[in-house]
């Protein structure tokens, strides 16, 4: 492997985590409210699959166990399931909307930071090809790279929430199945 390629291993991944506080500070400075809303909505999206599974289980169990004449129970559970699906879509729409606004604000904030830095440069700096190249790359990448990192961080957090809520649901459903599910990857 040559020096320009970076190896992806556990050590490099752990080293990347040390930049998270600076990144979160930047995201917080862009828009506290939107950052908070996106974080909460991402956590909610991590719980949604388990809640969906629970409502599906409840609906199927109700259909299988309800005797004739108890149509109201089926309608009630089905109505709850439909309300949940509508709320899920509203959460997804709100997340997409706030996410788009946050991406634009983040890009604008970073472009302003680059402009402020370029104001401090002298004429000889602008004539230097290395500095010109760095400024061009910074301007080109500000529109997507920091936001992409933000999305990856949220994806990791959402995945952790899904994992924890799945384990919790399995333990609620049947503790020994959860134990086997947790231990199985280590055995194989």
């Amino acid at each position: 492997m040559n020096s320009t390629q970076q190896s992806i291993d556990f050590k490099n991944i752990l080293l990347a985590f040390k930049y998270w506080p600076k990144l979160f500070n930047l995201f917080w400075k862009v828009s506290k409210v939107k950052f908070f809303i996106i974080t909460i909505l991402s956590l909610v999206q991590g719980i949604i699959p388990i809640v969906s599974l629970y409502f599906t289980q409840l609906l199927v169990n109700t259909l299988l166990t309800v005797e004739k004449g108890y149509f109201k129970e089926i309608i009630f559970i089905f109505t709850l399931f439909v309300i949940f699906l509508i709320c899920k879509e509203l959460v997804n729409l709100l997340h997409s909307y706030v996410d788009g606004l946050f991406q634009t604000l983040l890009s604008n904030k970073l472009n302003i930071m680059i402009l402020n830095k370029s104001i401090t440069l002298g004429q000889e700096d602008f004539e230097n090809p290395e500095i010109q190249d760095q400024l061009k790359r910074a301007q080109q990448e500000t529109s997507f790279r920091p936001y992409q990192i933000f999305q990856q961080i949220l994806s990791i957090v959402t995945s952790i929430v899904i994992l924890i809520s799945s384990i919790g649901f399995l333990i609620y459903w049947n503790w020994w199945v959860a134990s086997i599910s947790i231990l199985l990857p280590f055995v194989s």
Side-chain angles (χ1 to χ4, degrees), residues 95-136:
H95 189 268
S96 296
Y97 176 72
V98 176
D99 220 24
L101 289 175
F102 189 77
Q103 181 181 12
T104 303
L105 289 172
L106 180 61
S107 177
N108 290 344
K109 171 92 171 167
L110 291 171
N111 280 325
I112 289 170
M113 289 171 68
I114 291 170
L115 289 173
N116 287 337
K117 179 63 180 175
S118 64
I119 289 172
T120 64
L121 299 175
Q123 182 178 357
E124 64 276 354
D125 293 324
F126 283 106
E127 292 173 355
N128 185 341
E130 285 182 31
I131 293 177
Q132 276 290 345
D133 185 48
Q134 288 176 351
L135 281 173
K136 278 185 181 180

Side-chain angles (χ1 to χ4, degrees), residues 19-170:
Y19 296 109
W20 280 26
K22 289 181 182 179
L23 289 170
F24 280 116
N25 188 28
L26 173 67
F27 301 147
W28 184 257
K29 286 180 181 177
V30 168
S31 175
K32 293 175 179 85
V33 173
K34 288 178 183 54
F35 175 74
F36 183 74
I37 290 172
I38 290 171
T39 304
I40 294 299
L41 290 176
S42 294
L43 293 174
V44 169
Q45 285 180 326
I47 295 171
I48 283 177
I50 299 306
V51 175
S52 177
L53 181 63
Y54 176 75
F55 273 119
T56 304
Q57 175 192 9
L58 189 62
L59 184 62
V60 169
N61 287 345
T62 303
L63 287 172
L64 293 176
T65 59
V66 169
E67 299 173 12
K68 291 183 180 181
Y70 290 98
F71 190 67
K72 289 181 182 179
E73 286 184 40
I74 295 172
I75 295 298
F76 177 72
I77 299 295
F78 183 74
T79 304
L80 283 177
F81 187 67
V82 169
I83 290 170
F84 167 74
L85 291 176
I86 291 170
C87 290
K88 174 185 162 188
E89 289 304 315
L90 289 174
V91 165
N92 289 339
L93 284 171
L94 182 61
H95 189 268
S96 296
Y97 176 72
V98 176
D99 220 24
L101 289 175
F102 189 77
Q103 181 181 12
T104 303
L105 289 172
L106 180 61
S107 177
N108 290 344
K109 171 92 171 167
L110 291 171
N111 280 325
I112 289 170
M113 289 171 68
I114 291 170
L115 289 173
N116 287 337
K117 179 63 180 175
S118 64
I119 289 172
T120 64
L121 299 175
Q123 182 178 357
E124 64 276 354
D125 293 324
F126 283 106
E127 292 173 355
N128 185 341
E130 285 182 31
I131 293 177
Q132 276 290 345
D133 185 48
Q134 288 176 351
L135 281 173
K136 278 185 181 180
R137 276 190 287 134
Q139 285 176 329
Q140 290 171 348
E141 291 189 7
T142 57
S143 63
F144 72 92
R145 182 78 62 199
Y147 181 74
Q148 187 179 39
I149 293 169
F150 179 62
Q151 287 293 1
Q152 290 172 348
I153 290 171
L154 285 179
S155 176
I156 290 169
V157 170
T158 302
S159 297
I160 290 170
V161 169
I162 290 172
L163 177 67
I164 292 170
S165 61
S166 297
I167 290 170
F169 185 77
L170 283 174

